[in-house]
Amino acid sequence: MWRIRHHGVAGVQIFDTLPYLVQFAVVLKIRRVLQCAHKIVLKRRRCNIRKTMRKHTFVILFIELLTVTIFALYPSAIDSIAWTPSRAPSFNGVLESHAKLQQVELLSEGTLQGPEDIVMDKAGALYSGVENGDIIRIDKQGKQEVWANTGGRPLGLKFDQQGNLIVCDSELGLLSIDRNKVQTVLTDSVDGSRINFPKSLDIARDGMIYFTDATKKWRRKEFLYDLLETKPNGRLLSYDPSTRVTKVLLDDLYFAHGVALSSKEDFLLVVETWRYRVQKYRLKGPRKGEATQFIGNLPGFPGGISNNGKGQFWLSLISPRNPVLDKVHETPWLKNTLAKTPNFMQPGPIPYGLVLGIKESGPLQLSLHDPGGKVITGISAVQEYDGSLYFGTFQQDKIGKYKL
C-alpha cells in the first residue's frame, strides 16, 4: 500500500480500492512522466549553460582584447635606441670554466640583504652596506653588528686616510662617517644637477675621491630601464675634500659602476656595465683627461673593480651575458614594449660566479668561476686582503671569502 506525503502530512489511501495490477500501471506511468520532466529540465539547464558559457567566453575575449589594446597604446617609460653588441667570447683559454669558486667560504649567509660592496679597516674587520640602510661590521672572529645606518641605501665604501668611512649612498649622495658615527654629506650635486645614483668610489693618497654616478636619469630600482634604453647616462666624478669642489671628469657612460686607481695613481679604471667594458681615464701626463678602452667585449656584466696594490686589478662580473638580451638590443620597439612588463618578466642575472684578474698593463691574467652559481653568484665587488679575496653580492644574502 502506498502513502502520498506532502510536507510531512499523511495523504489519503487512494489506491486501496484499486486492483494491484492497476496500481502498478499507475505507478509506472507516474514514473515515466517524472523521468520525462527530469529530461526536459536537464535539457533546458544545458541550453542555459551553453548560453552562459558563450556569454562568458565573449566577455573574456573582450577583456583580453581590451587589455592588449591598452598595453600596446600605453606609452613606454623608455625611449630606447638600437645597439648591436659584439659576439660574446667563449669560455676558452684564460676564460676557461672551472669550479674553483665553489671553494668559497660564505660569511653571514642568510643575515644580509644585498651586501653589494665590502671594505676592510686596519684591524681586518669587514664592512658592508645593506638594503635597509645599515652598515654591517663583521670582525675577524665573525661577530656581526650594525655599525651605523645612513638612512638611505649605502653602496660603495672606502676608508680615507683619517679613518672616516666614505660612502656612496644612492639616496643621499657622497657621505662621510667618522669614528664617532657622525654622518656628513660631502656632496650631492655637481654643476647644478643632482647626483642621482652614487655607486662606487676609490680614494687617492692625496685625499681626492673618485666616484661614479651610475645613471643621472633613472633611480636605483629603475636600473633595468637604463639597461633597456641603452643610452649613456652615467658619469665619473671627483670630489676634493680640501676645496669641497665636485667635478665631472667623464660623461656619457653606459651605467658607470666600479672605479679603481692604478698603483701609481697615474690613471684609473671605470666600469661600463651595459657595454661589457672597462674604460681607462688618465690622471697624469700629456694625455691627462683622456679616456680610452682598457678592456672590452667581456663575457658578462662587469660590476666592481679594485686594485691589489701589486700591479693587478680584480674585476667582478655580476652575470654572464644573456644572448637573448643581446639580440633584443637590436630592436628598440621590442625593448620599449618589454619595459612595460612586470619586473619578473624582464631580464635578470644568470646564476654564475665569475671574477677576472687583469694586469695593470692590460692583459687578462686569470679567471675564477662557479658555474651555475652553486655556492656564490651575482658577485658585485671584489677586494683582496691578507691572502684572500672577499666578494660582495648583488641581490644575495651573503659575502664570500676565497683563499688565494
Side-chain angles (χ1 to χ4, degrees):
M1 184 178 67
W2 297 84
R3 290 185 181 274
I4 300 176
R5 293 181 178 272
H6 181 66
H7 298 295
V9 180
V12 182
Q13 298 178 1
I14 61 173
F15 293 149
D16 284 354
T17 58
L18 296 176
Y20 286 111
L21 288 176
V22 175
Q23 292 182 34
F24 183 70
V26 171
V27 170
L28 286 178
K29 187 66 175 176
I30 293 172
R31 186 177 179 183
R32 285 178 188 150
V33 170
L34 290 173
Q35 287 175 341
C36 289
H38 182 63
K39 287 180 181 178
I40 291 171
V41 170
L42 286 177
K43 187 174 181 180
R44 287 180 178 176
R45 283 181 178 176
R46 290 193 190 102
C47 184
N48 289 335
I49 290 171
R50 290 192 193 100
K51 289 180 180 178
T52 303
M53 288 180 66
R54 282 197 292 269
K55 290 180 181 178
H56 287 174
T57 301
F58 175 77
V59 171
I60 291 169
L61 289 173
F62 177 76
I63 292 173
E64 288 179 348
L65 181 61
L66 183 63
T67 302
V68 171
T69 302
I70 292 173
F71 181 81
L73 295 178
Y74 190 80
S76 176
I78 68 172
D79 180 22
S80 67
I81 59 175
W83 174 53
T84 303
S86 301
R87 184 176 180 179
S90 57
F91 285 145
N92 293 320
V94 178
L95 290 172
E96 186 174 357
S97 183
H98 51 74
K100 288 184 178 179
L101 286 186
Q102 291 181 10
Q103 302 170 18
V104 162
E105 175 188 354
L106 299 178
L107 308 178
S108 299
E109 184 178 10
T111 66
L112 306 173
Q113 189 178 6
E116 292 194 25
D117 198 13
I118 68 273
V119 68
M120 275 70 177
D121 64 16
K122 292 179 180 179
L126 182 150
Y127 296 73
S128 185
V130 293
E131 188 67 35
N132 67 355
D134 286 345
I135 295 177
I136 305 297
R137 181 181 185 272
I138 306 171
D139 66 19
K140 281 190 168 184
Q141 288 70 45
K143 182 182 177 182
Q144 179 177 313
E145 64 174 343
V146 176
W147 185 77
N149 185 292
T150 66
R153 179 42 166 121
L155 295 171
L157 308 171
K158 208 79 174 180
F159 282 100
D160 66 13
Q161 296 292 332
Q162 291 72 44
N164 302 308
L165 183 61
I166 309 302
V167 181
C168 278
D169 190 296
S170 66
E171 305 297 327
L172 304 176
L174 187 68
L175 312 178
S176 175
I177 307 176
D178 67 19
R179 296 174 184 178
N180 297 318
K181 319 291 179 63
V182 176
Q183 179 173 303
T184 305
V185 177
L186 298 178
T187 180
D188 58 7
S189 64
V190 59
D191 296 339
S193 67
R194 183 177 185 272
I195 299 173
N196 187 61
F197 189 168
K199 190 71 180 75
S200 300
L201 74 152
D202 202 358
I203 304 176
R205 287 184 283 269
D206 64 2
M208 185 70 76
I209 300 171
Y210 299 95
F211 66 109
T212 52
D213 185 13
T215 166
K216 57 191 175 187
K217 181 176 181 179
W218 302 103
R219 302 298 292 157
R220 179 175 64 92
K221 292 185 178 180
E222 299 170 327
F223 71 92
L224 285 175
Y225 286 163
D226 197 68
L227 167 61
L228 293 172
E229 195 167 50
T230 331
K231 291 181 178 178
N233 295 314
R235 301 182 286 185
L236 172 66
L237 310 176
S238 68
Y239 174 78
D240 187 342
S242 63
T243 62
R244 299 181 182 179
V245 173
T246 307
K247 293 181 180 179
V248 177
L249 301 181
L250 199 57
D251 210 341
D252 297 331
L253 300 175
Y254 294 86
F255 201 82
H257 200 148
V259 58
L261 288 153
S262 66
S263 299
K264 295 180 180 179
E265 298 187 352
D266 54 339
F267 70 90
L268 61 75
L269 300 184
V270 59
V271 171
E272 287 186 279
T273 302
W274 303 153
R275 277 295 193 261
Y276 314 131
R277 70 188 179 193
V278 178
Q279 295 276 35
K280 179 178 181 178
Y281 181 82
R282 289 173 172 82
L283 298 170
K284 297 177 182 178
R287 299 172 67 184
K288 179 181 177 180
E290 181 181 318
T292 55
Q293 181 170 289
F294 180 74
I295 186 170
N297 197 31
L298 291 163
F301 293 87
I305 190 167
S306 64
N307 193 310
N308 68 358
K310 297 177 284 189
Q312 179 177 293
F313 291 102
W314 290 109
L315 175 66
S316 69
L317 274 71
I318 299 169
S319 166
R321 284 165 63 168
N322 185 325
V324 175
L325 179 61
D326 277 0
K327 194 64 180 175
V328 167
H329 271 310
E330 300 175 8
T331 314
W333 72 262
L334 190 55
K335 292 193 290 182
N336 292 345
T337 302
L338 189 59
K340 302 179 189 180
T341 61
N343 285 342
F344 72 89
M345 296 180 65
Q346 295 179 12
I350 297 172
Y352 201 103
L354 183 55
V355 171
L356 305 180
I358 311 170
K359 289 183 178 180
E360 286 193 3
S361 56
L364 184 62
Q365 192 171 13
L366 61 91
S367 62
L368 301 170
H369 300 250
D370 179 1
K374 294 180 180 178
V375 177
I376 191 163
T377 185
I379 300 175
S380 54
V382 53
Q383 294 283 342
E384 182 177 339
Y385 178 81
D386 197 23
S388 294
L389 294 180
Y390 291 83
F391 306 130
T393 56
F394 174 69
Q395 295 182 344
Q396 301 296 312
D397 62 358
K398 68 203 73 166
I399 291 170
K401 178 183 178 182
Y402 175 75
K403 189 171 180 59
L404 292 170

